């Protein structure tokens, strides 16, 4: 049975903060910040059919390198996660999150939108800090819209527009 | 005055977990899981103009049956709720949530999107478990997009595509 | 170091409630409710390129007046904020939130969508109530869609449609 203690609520808050930092690092392309949220042996299992086959990345370096190469300033990403259902078991924990994502690639004139449920595991290190040890999701859907179908579509702001690509 | 106690925060967390489970059950078409989140005499008052008149469902069985019949594998639904404003009063509680929904019906080539504010009431049973006793929402807007206006739209992933319909 | 106390968690909940009330007031066009969430000298720094230059509003009255004039019943707005990363320092606090917004202007047949990160500061007054003392955001993107590109688009519900404009 889940303990009804202050320590339990503080741990839930720690884990939510960890996930928010992970998501903010991805969308702000802060790859060092992203690395800090992962254990060294973290595994990421992202299913993104629009980009090809199921993607399994093993180790913090593999995850961060993939993100750096594939989510650069040529695209805008917005990841929103909510509905955290977290179970803590000592120094490990699991979490399910509902999530939606929007990716805009101006050069290719496409917008990708989707939704999924994240399935994460978390581990508390010897330093007392929680990190993501496994993340992945099960897609509800993913769809691609071509902006050639929306000739009057106008990107009125793009944080990355002036970044050297 | 709202009590500033650990028990109060634990109850808020219980009620958020309840809502997240309800929403996940709907979008994952887990009708037994959905039933578990409702009191036997639960009332649902969903206003969904695109599907016709205001919809009032009385009783857990009526709610679950309606969902099972109308949110089957022929459509993809994504419900996202946030901004919980919950007031607890002993063994009952009320909650307001901001919410957005996306429904894609591939067969009819439509996407419905909208936003609303949920107004819920919750009840704690003799078993100590919180359940939803009333749910409903006041729509801010709802809009329908026809995919015939987006000829290059492509559904690149659909969790329900292979489910027998 | 952040204190791991009940009081800290209660303060985080107070600050989340404050933000939810602010967001609900904006989308429900409850301008008196909005005023209650702001300090008298609150500053808002909204960057909304689609509506022109960066917008700096100084003082509660200036913020509320601007909202009343620019977010009236002629448009539908949906603001969703999540991922709160809040740091409390005595009677002040700062918060970062991920946020998405959708604005539909039926008369001009446009939909504006975007995402940003809010950077807020909060202050606890002599009455013990937290209010927003500064809010603003850094846009990830903003895009405008013309409904003339979607001739079959249909607004099936609009809470403000019958409000005198």
């Amino acid at each position: 049975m889940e303990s009804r203690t202050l320590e339990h609520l503080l741990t839930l808050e720690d884990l939510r903060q960890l996930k928010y930092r992970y998501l903010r690092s991805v969308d702000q392309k802060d790859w060092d910040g992203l690395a800090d949220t992962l254990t060294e042996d973290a595994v990421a299992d992202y299913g993104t059919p629009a980009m090809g086959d199921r993607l399994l990345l093993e180790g913090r370096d593999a995850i961060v390198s993939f993100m750096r190469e594939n989510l650069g300033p040529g695209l805008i990403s917005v990841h929103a996660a909510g509905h955290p259902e977290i179970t803590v078991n000592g120094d490990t924990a699991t979490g399910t999150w509902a999530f939606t994502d929007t990716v805009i690639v101006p050069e290719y004139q496409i917008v990708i939108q989707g939704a999924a449920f994240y399935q994460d595991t978390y581990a508390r290190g010897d330093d007392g800090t929680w990190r993501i040890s496994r993340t992945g999701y099960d897609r509800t859907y993913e769809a691609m819209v071509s902006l050639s179908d929306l000739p009057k579509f106008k990107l009125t702001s793009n944080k990355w527009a002036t970044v050297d690509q």
Side-chain angles (χ1 to χ4, degrees), chain A:
Chain A
M1 194 198 130
E2 200 157 87
S3 69
R4 298 184 69 78
T5 62
L6 175 62
E7 193 52 37
H8 179 63
L9 288 184
L10 288 164
T11 300
L12 294 183
E13 181 63 22
D14 287 342
L15 291 166
R16 288 188 298 252
Q17 292 304 308
L18 170 64
K19 186 73 174 179
Y20 299 152
R21 203 149 45 90
Y22 165 88
L23 293 162
R24 178 168 50 79
S25 297
V26 171
D27 288 343
Q28 295 196 336
K29 310 185 190 302
D30 172 6
W31 310 122
D32 292 337
L34 178 66
D36 282 344
T37 67
L38 303 168
T39 63
E40 204 176 329
D41 61 352
V43 171
D45 183 0
Y46 304 111
T48 307
M51 295 173 75
D53 292 333
R54 189 158 205 90
L55 180 69
L56 184 72
L57 299 167
E58 297 182 284
R60 178 199 287 157
D61 292 351
I63 297 170
V64 175
S65 294
F66 177 84
M67 295 291 212
R68 196 190 295 268
E69 286 162 28
N70 288 277
L71 293 177
L75 62 77
I76 297 157
S77 72
V78 180
H79 291 82
H83 311 186
E85 298 179 85
I86 293 169
T87 301
V88 182
N89 190 0
D91 288 328
T92 61
T94 58
T96 296
W97 297 75
F99 130 88
T100 61
D101 56 341
T102 297
V103 173
I104 304 174
V105 195
E107 187 186 348
Y108 296 108
Q109 290 285 292
I110 56 169
V111 178
I112 300 166
Q113 285 188 303
F117 284 90
Y118 270 110
Q119 300 280 2
D120 293 340
T121 64
Y122 311 105
R124 181 158 41 192
D126 294 338
D127 60 355
T129 301
W130 287 96
R131 292 186 186 80
I132 297 170
S133 52
R134 184 177 185 95
T135 187
Y137 48 67
D138 179 30
R139 279 230 170 258
T140 306
Y141 86 98
E142 191 188 78
M144 212 185 317
V145 169
S146 169
L147 295 177
S148 64
D149 285 341
L150 296 168
K152 291 190 183 148
F153 177 94
K154 193 175 165 190
L155 197 57
T156 51
S157 174
N158 176 358
K159 184 179 171 69
W160 316 109
T162 58
V163 177
D164 187 27
Q165 300 179 26

